[in-house]
């Protein structure tokens, strides 16, 4: 039995072999066991080479013939499919006689060449133009017909008609494999593709990974990129109405679990979901600290539900994207955007941002003007620049790159007057007076050109790298092929993952010693206050400051310009008695970081520290942001919360040892905290079962350099080391002491190190605790 073929049938089998020659293709059919076949089941065709293009000979003898038997339709289909692939074409199922489950069921089936028949033109309805795609069908007559027979009550399928003449060119072996019929995706591969899509991989990355897994050459998988994209599209076939109901139920369940979860939705007149918006408790806390500058991105759609996706995001004090809220809108108009803005303000207790960045959208622009009248609205330059290639590359030709460089120069200017003059010169030089895009850009220049935006705080969101980072963050939401109900959970998972990754990165940065680049007292002072991200931005200005010269032109007014310039520059106004300083470049107002011009004036006038008002709270490493972050970790794993606690302890000690007064306050407060902790119930599983997760017996805090150049290295041991359920741990000596640098090791209680009397210390007096019990070495 080969492909369902019964060659040695004891019942008389009359087989007329198909003779394939260079000139003719003869098909003969006969009855079997004296049973005559109907006229519909018999075709005898004899055609000449001039009338058809004959198929080439196959390399193996697997040619269908009249009377060939198969145990099922599927066996006949697989056999004919194998034959077709060798010849250079594919097949499809065509006409049938009968229906499954009705009477005798299907009694006849035809398989035809994939180019058989002719395309049908779609009729237009109600004046709607139908898209009639090009078709490969050309009326090819090649086919194989099978008929159902029952001998001795055993059903079988017999070939009663076969023709292998084609009126089109047959494909080569390296081409035929690309036909859709020969590009199957196995169930296992479908499962892996779905998993890759949820992980956010692109289609090309999926294909390359599967090629490596299967050990095949590049481009030699049995399916193509188009097949994978079609499969992913099929995953998006959804039940929109029912999924919307599930989504609202999901939001209600999340609200019941956490009353700080916020959501709003709107139902249209047809009782269908029109809009929905939601925000998580951690997102609302982040907005309280970093909601001064936000991005409202509306450039993506959830295609499966034909809804616009809007994401509210910002940047935290470490320069990392933070998520605020998300919305799905049915329509893209003023009413929809107004609803989204009102819902967002409701989530954030009516607190509007100082500035907001969006894509270039006229409806959104008008909605913001109404709902956020006190907020400065700007367009994201990243979205504008992405359209330049379509707008100007063909128009300007070889001058396009030169014009684009000139546009960038104008965009980054500091003064409005310079921008206006430069814009006129650019338009004249390239003859763009009547270009509609140039006219539109100039009319909206106050929304995108930096000379008009520098007086407003944008927290660095206008930088292209920040735009790309936020864009990548949003695309992670769209990577998963899931139902609408799962979309909310998917966003929550991504936000939670981003928060955990951010907390870990912040902890690692805090445990590292700040790297000073200039040795300036201003830099040393800022390093104790700012986050590493903000410090790096200030250092960029400090490094450039010595290249500028400052001239006193009036009382409290300085002219600062680069040493290579003979005129121009920026004006710096400084009132030392009021600790007020400002610059005409407005970098501090724009980013919250002092500019090089101000820093130059401060250094030349013997100012060695930055006034507090010029170290904004949103860029500081300590304060309310860390408290909010700690409170937001209640649902996280215990080791991650312990890592955050390590970071806070590190900052606590670094700040406490600055002065004796600070140290006294720290000792007093830590005593109160310890007393309060002791009143709380202990874990029923014992102390060691609370997974501290430390790889060693103690916590190494960062090195701190004092004003005398001495390096202090603190080691805090676990105070619960003596409470164990098994063998006591031996304390290990720490190696790797750097002999090239002078270190001060604290072997006495910390209070004694700084002249504090241990006998009077409130901490040492509590429960007769010693310095070792407190964990200080």
């Amino acid at each position: 039995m080969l492909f369902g073929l019964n060659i040695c049938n004891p019942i008389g089998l009359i087989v007329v072999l198909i003779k394939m020659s260079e000139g003719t293709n003869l098909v003969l059919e006969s009855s079997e066991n004296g049973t005559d076949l109907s006229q519909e089941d018999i075709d005898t065709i004899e055609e000449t080479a001039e009338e058809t293009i004959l198929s080439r000979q196959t390399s193996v003898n697997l040619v269908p013939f009249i009377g060939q038997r198969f145990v099922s339709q599927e066996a006949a289909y697989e056999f004919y499919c194998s034959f077709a692939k060798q010849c250079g074409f594919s097949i499809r199922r065509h006409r049938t006689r009968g229906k499954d489950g009705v009477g005798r069921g299907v009694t006849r089936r035809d398989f035809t060449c994939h180019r058989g028949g002719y395309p049908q033109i779609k009729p237009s309805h109600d004046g709607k133009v139908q898209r009639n795609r090009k078709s490969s069908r050309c009326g090819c007559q090649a086919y194989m017909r099978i008929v159902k027979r029952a001998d001795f009550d055993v059903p079988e399928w017999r070939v009663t008609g076969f023709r292998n003449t084609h009126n089109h060119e047959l494909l080569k072996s390296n081409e035929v494999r690309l036909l859709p019929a020969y590009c199957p995706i196995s169930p296992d591969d479908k499962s892996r593709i779905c998993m890759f899509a949820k992980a956010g991989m692109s289609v090309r990355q999926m294909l390359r990974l599967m090629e490596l897994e299967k050990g095949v050459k590049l481009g030699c998988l049995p399916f193509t990129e188009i097949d994978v994209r079609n499969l992913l599209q099929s995953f998006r076939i959804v039940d929109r109405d029912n999924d919307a109901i599930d989504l609202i139920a999901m939001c209600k369940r999340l609200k019941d679990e956490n009353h700080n979860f916020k959501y709003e939705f709107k139902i249209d007149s047809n009782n269908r979901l029109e809009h929905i918006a939601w925000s998580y408790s951690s997102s609302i806390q982040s907005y309280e600290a970093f909601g001064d500058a936000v991005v409202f991105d509306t450039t993506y759609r959830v295609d499966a539900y034909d809804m616009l996706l809007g994401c509210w995001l910002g940047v935290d004090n470490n320069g990392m994207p933070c998520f605020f809220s998300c919305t799905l809108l049915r329509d893209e108009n003023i009413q929809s955007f107004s609803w989204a803005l009102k819902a967002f303000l409701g989530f954030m207790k009516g607190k509007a941002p100082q500035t907001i960045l969006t894509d270039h959208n006229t409806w959104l622009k008008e909605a913001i003007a109404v709902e956020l009248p006190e907020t400065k609205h700007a367009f994201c330059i990243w979205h504008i620049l992405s359209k330049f290639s379509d707008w100007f590359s063909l128009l300007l030709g070889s001058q396009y790159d030169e014009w684009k460089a000139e546009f960038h120069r104008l965009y980054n200017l500091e003064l409005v007057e310079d921008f206006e003059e430069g814009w006129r010169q650019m338009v004249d030089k390239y003859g763009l007076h009547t270009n509609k895009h140039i006219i539109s850009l100039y009319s909206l220049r106050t929304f995108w050109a930096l000379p008009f935006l520098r007086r407003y705080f944008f927290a660095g969101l206008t930088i292209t790298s920040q735009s790309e980072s936020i864009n990548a963050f949003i695309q992670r939401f769209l990577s998963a092929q899931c139902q609408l109900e799962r979309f909310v959970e998917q966003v929550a998972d991504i936000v939670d993952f981003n928060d955990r990754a951010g907390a870990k990165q912040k902890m690692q940065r805090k445990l590292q010693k700040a790297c000073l680049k200039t040795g300036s007292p201003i830099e040393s002072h800022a390093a104790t206050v700012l986050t590493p991200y903000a410090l790096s931005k200030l250092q960029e200005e400090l490094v450039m400051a010595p290249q500028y010269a400052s001239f006193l032109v009036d009382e409290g007014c300085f002219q600062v310009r680069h040493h290579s310039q003979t005129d121009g520059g920026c004006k710096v106004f400084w009132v030392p008695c009021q600790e007020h300083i400002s610059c005409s470049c407005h970098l501090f107002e724009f980013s919250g970081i002092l500019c090089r011009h101000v820093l130059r004036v401060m250094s030349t006038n013997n100012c060695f520290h930055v006034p507090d008002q010029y170290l904004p709270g949103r860029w500081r490493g300590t304060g309310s942001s860390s408290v909010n972050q700690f409170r937001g970790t209640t649902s996280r794993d215990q080791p991650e919360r312990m890592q955050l606690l390590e970071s806070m302890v590190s900052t606590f000690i670094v700040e406490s040892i600055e002065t004796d007064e600070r140290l006294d306050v720290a000792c007093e407060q830590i005593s109160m905290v310890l007393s309060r902790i002791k009143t709380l119930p202990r874990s029923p599983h014992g102390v060691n079962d609370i997974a501290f997760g430390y790889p060693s017996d103690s916590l190494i805090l960062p090195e701190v350099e004092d004003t005398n150049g001495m390096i202090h290295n603190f080691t805090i041991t676990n105070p619960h080391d003596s409470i164990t359920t098994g063998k006591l741990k031996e304390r290990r000596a720490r190696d790797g002491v750097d002999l090239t640098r002078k270190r001060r090791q604290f072997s006495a209680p910390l209070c004694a190190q700084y002249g504090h009397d241990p006998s009077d210390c409130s901490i040492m007096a509590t429960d007769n605790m010693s310095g070792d019990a407190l964990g200080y070495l």
Side-chain angles (χ1 to χ4, degrees):
M1 182 72 68
L2 180 61
F3 291 96
L5 172 62
N6 190 354
I7 300 178
C8 302
N9 193 335
I11 304 174
L13 173 63
I14 304 174
V15 177
V16 181
L17 297 177
I18 301 173
K19 298 179 180 179
M20 305 178 68
S21 64
E22 192 175 321
T24 62
N25 185 357
L26 181 63
V27 180
L28 296 179
E29 305 181 5
S30 70
S31 62
E32 191 175 314
N33 297 332
T35 305
D36 295 332
L37 301 176
S38 65
Q39 187 62 34
E40 290 182 345
D41 298 335
I42 299 176
D43 284 324
T44 303
I45 301 174
E46 183 175 356
E47 297 179 351
T48 62
E50 290 75 16
E51 295 172 339
T52 63
I53 303 174
L54 300 179
S55 60
R56 63 175 83 80
Q57 293 280 357
T58 58
S59 58
V60 295
N61 189 19
L62 292 177
V63 182
F65 57 88
I66 305 302
Q68 186 175 0
R69 301 183 181 190
F70 300 94
V71 296
S72 65
Q73 297 183 60
E74 288 72 22
Y77 177 82
E78 291 177 7
F79 174 80
Y80 191 33
C81 190
S82 300
F83 169 77
K85 188 174 184 179
Q86 293 181 35
C87 291
F89 67 99
S90 66
I91 63 173
R92 59 186 174 87
R93 295 175 174 87
H94 193 39
R95 290 189 297 262
T96 62
R97 177 189 292 172
K99 290 184 179 181
D100 288 326
V102 179
R104 293 190 301 166
V106 177
T107 59
R108 193 189 77 179
R109 178 177 289 281
D110 290 357
F111 303 111
T112 64
C113 174
H114 73 287
R115 302 193 66 176
Y118 295 94
Q120 295 181 353
I121 299 177
K122 299 178 181 179
S124 58
H125 299 285
D126 301 330
K128 205 174 185 182
V129 179
Q130 294 289 338
R131 181 178 60 171
N132 292 290
R133 299 179 179 177
K134 292 183 178 180
S135 174
S136 63
R137 297 190 181 186
C138 58
C140 180
Q141 298 295 322
Y143 81 102
M144 185 181 79
R145 176 176 298 156
I146 57 176
V147 175
K148 185 178 182 181
R149 288 288 184 265
D151 290 338
F152 305 104
D153 295 327
V154 178
E156 63 182 8
W157 294 82
R158 304 175 189 173
V159 176
T160 61
F162 171 69
R163 176 187 295 168
N164 197 36
T165 56
H166 301 265
N167 61 354
H168 57 87
E169 183 179 357
L170 298 177
L171 301 177
K172 299 177 182 179
S173 58
N174 62 335
E175 297 172 337
V176 71
R177 70 178 183 85
L178 300 177
L179 291 175
Y182 304 126
C183 297
I185 304 180
S186 66
D188 290 340
D189 288 339
K190 288 182 180 179
S191 177
R192 292 189 62 76
I193 290 172
C194 184
M195 181 180 64
F196 293 156
K198 290 181 179 180
M201 295 177 61
S202 67
V203 174
R204 293 184 179 179
Q205 290 173 333
M206 298 178 196
L207 292 173
R208 185 55 185 149
L209 180 58
M210 298 183 78
E211 287 169 350
L212 295 174
E213 289 178 341
K214 297 177 181 294
V216 299
K217 294 182 179 179
L218 187 66
C220 291
L221 287 172
F223 44 86
T224 64
E225 179 179 342
I226 295 178
D227 299 318
V228 175
R229 294 189 185 278
N230 290 337
L231 177 65
L232 294 177
Q233 183 63 34
S234 68
F235 292 157
R236 298 188 179 102
I237 299 176
V238 293
D239 186 350
R240 297 182 179 179
D241 294 335
N242 290 334
D243 283 355
I245 296 174
D246 294 338
L247 172 62
I248 297 174
M250 166 65 69
C251 291
K252 186 178 184 303
R253 181 176 63 82
L254 293 176
K255 178 70 173 179
D256 294 338
E257 294 175 356
N258 186 347
H259 68 278
N260 290 322
F261 175 80
K262 307 291 184 181
Y263 74 101
E264 290 286 345
F265 64 92
K266 181 181 179 182
I267 304 297
D268 62 13
S269 57
N270 296 322
N271 204 30
R272 296 176 63 238
L273 179 64
E274 187 173 3
H275 312 308
I276 188 168
W278 67 92
S279 181
Y280 310 98
S281 59
S282 62
S283 302
I284 297 174
Q285 292 178 357
S286 296
Y287 183 81
E288 293 177 0
F290 311 115
D292 42 14
V294 302
V295 173
F296 185 36
D297 192 291
T298 58
T299 57
Y300 295 95
R301 299 187 71 88
V302 181
D303 294 331
Y305 299 90
D306 192 26
M307 298 185 79
L308 183 74
L309 173 65
C311 293
W312 298 82
L313 302 109
V315 61
D316 64 10
N317 57 349
N318 284 277
M320 300 180 63
C322 52
F323 175 87
F324 296 142
S325 181
C326 197
T327 183
L328 291 171
L329 306 176
R330 179 69 63 189
D331 304 311
E332 189 174 358
N333 52 39
I334 298 177
Q335 292 75 20
S336 298
F337 289 128
S338 295
W339 183 91
L341 294 170
K342 291 178 181 178
F344 178 75
L345 289 177
F347 297 158
M348 306 306 170
K349 304 175 184 178
K351 178 185 176 182
Q354 298 178 24
T355 56
I356 182 171
L357 272 173
T358 70
D359 57 302
H360 184 188
N361 189 303
T362 304
W363 292 314
L364 182 56
K365 171 178 170 290
E366 296 181 9
I368 290 176
V370 175
E371 304 298 336
L372 301 174
E374 303 299 326
T375 300
K376 175 58 181 176
H377 180 203
F379 295 149
C380 181
I381 192 64
W382 189 74
H383 293 295
I384 295 177
L385 294 176
S386 64
K387 302 175 184 177
F388 276 8
S389 179
D390 295 334
W391 288 355
F392 302 111
S393 60
L394 186 61
L395 175 67
L396 296 175
S398 59
Q399 293 181 308
Y400 173 70
D401 291 336
E402 180 184 350
W403 171 86
K404 192 174 181 180
E406 177 65 13
F407 180 89
H408 276 282
R409 187 187 71 82
L410 295 177
Y411 167 74
N412 287 291
L413 288 174
E414 295 177 352
L415 301 178
V416 173
E417 296 78 9
D418 294 342
F419 175 85
E420 296 286 358
E421 179 63 24
W423 187 271
R424 285 192 294 269
Q425 294 176 0
M426 180 196 71
V427 172
D428 292 339
K429 179 179 179 180
Y430 296 97
L432 300 173
H433 300 84
T434 59
N435 184 272
K436 63 179 183 180
H437 300 301
I438 289 294
I439 296 173
S440 175
L441 285 173
Y442 184 74
S443 65
L444 297 172
R445 63 191 181 280
T446 58
F447 287 87
W448 59 265
L450 290 187
F452 299 92
L453 302 176
R454 293 189 184 277
R455 296 177 182 270
Y456 305 93
F457 180 71
F458 282 92
L461 289 172
T462 58
I463 303 174
T464 302
S465 60
Q466 280 289 0
S467 299
E468 292 175 347
S469 177
I470 289 176
N471 180 65
F473 185 75
I474 296 174
Q475 285 185 340
R476 294 172 64 187
F477 298 163
L478 305 174
S479 62
Q481 312 299 323
C482 58
Q483 294 179 337
L484 202 56
E485 174 189 358
R486 272 290 303 149
F487 184 76
V488 179
E489 293 182 342
Q490 178 75 10
V491 174
D493 292 341
I494 293 173
V495 171
D496 185 63
F497 174 81
N498 187 73
D499 290 344
R500 284 187 279 111
K504 184 176 181 180
Q505 185 174 354
K506 293 172 188 175
M507 181 203 68
Q508 292 173 344
R509 287 178 176 177
K510 287 182 178 181
L511 295 181
Q512 295 174 355
K513 181 185 175 184
C515 179
L516 303 184
K517 296 183 178 180
T518 65
S520 167
I522 293 177
E523 183 184 16
S524 301
H525 173 229
T528 63
V529 179
L530 301 178
T531 64
Y533 170 79
L535 178 63
S536 67
K537 296 298 180 183
L538 181 65
Q539 287 174 332
E540 292 176 5
E541 300 298 317
L542 277 169
V543 169
M544 297 300 297
Q547 300 184 20
Y548 287 76
S550 64
F551 306 93
L552 180 64
V553 296
D554 199 356
E555 184 178 358
C557 179
F558 297 83
Q559 189 79 18
V560 183
R561 57 174 173 262
H562 195 265
H563 69 89
S564 62
Q565 296 177 330
T566 56
D567 57 0
C570 295
K571 288 186 178 181
V572 176
F573 300 92
W574 187 30
V575 184
C577 60
Q578 300 178 4
E579 291 190 332
H580 171 78
I581 192 166
S582 63
C583 181
S584 60
C585 74
H586 300 292
L587 179 64
F588 178 75
E589 292 85 345
F590 185 65
S591 64
I593 302 296
L594 287 176
C595 66
R596 60 197 66 178
H597 316 109
V598 167
L599 294 171
R600 180 58 177 169
V601 170
M602 293 175 63
S603 63
T604 54
N605 287 272
N606 301 324
C607 181
F608 301 117
H609 78 283
V610 180
D612 285 344
Q613 63 266 32
Y614 298 107
L615 296 173
R618 72 110 57 226
W619 293 131
R620 296 195 178 206
T622 59
S624 61
S625 62
S626 61
V627 176
N628 290 336
Q629 185 180 11
F630 183 75
R631 288 176 181 171
T633 61
T634 55
S635 61
R636 295 178 183 171
D637 295 335
Q638 191 74 13
E640 294 168 0
R641 297 177 64 191
M642 291 303 302
Q643 288 179 348
L644 185 58
L645 182 60
E646 291 177 9
S647 176
M648 296 180 67
V649 170
S650 170
T651 305
F652 176 80
I653 294 185
V654 171
E655 294 292 331
S656 299
I657 65 175
E658 290 289 332
T659 63
D660 291 343
E661 182 181 0
R662 285 191 175 193
L663 190 59
D664 291 338
V665 173
C667 292
E668 179 182 355
Q669 294 297 322
I670 201 71
S671 175
M672 297 171 59
V673 171
L674 286 174
S675 299
R676 181 181 177 185
I677 291 176
K678 289 180 179 181
T679 62
L680 300 176
R682 291 182 178 271
S683 171
H685 304 291
V687 179
N688 276 350
D689 290 339
I690 303 176
F692 288 102
Y694 298 139
S696 61
D697 296 329
S698 60
L699 166 64
I700 303 299
L701 296 181
E703 296 175 348
V704 182
E705 184 172 353
D706 63 11
T707 55
N708 297 324
M710 303 297 290
I711 304 296
H712 307 288
N713 187 32
F714 298 102
T715 305
I716 300 179
T717 59
N718 189 344
H720 301 289
D721 278 346
S722 59
I723 308 175
T724 60
T725 56
K727 185 182 295 185
L728 291 175
K729 296 181 180 178
E730 295 182 359
R731 296 196 179 275
R732 295 171 293 178
R734 300 215 172 258
D735 301 325
V737 179
D738 187 359
L739 299 180
T740 62
R741 305 180 69 183
K742 186 176 180 181
R743 295 180 181 270
R744 185 185 302 168
Q745 296 291 340
F746 297 142
S747 57
L750 185 63
C751 49
Q753 294 284 338
Y754 287 87
H756 187 62
D757 187 0
S759 61
D760 297 333
C761 179
S762 57
I763 300 180
M764 304 298 291
T766 304
D767 292 346
N768 297 321
M769 295 179 67
S770 64
D772 288 338
L774 283 175
Y776 293 102
L777 294 181

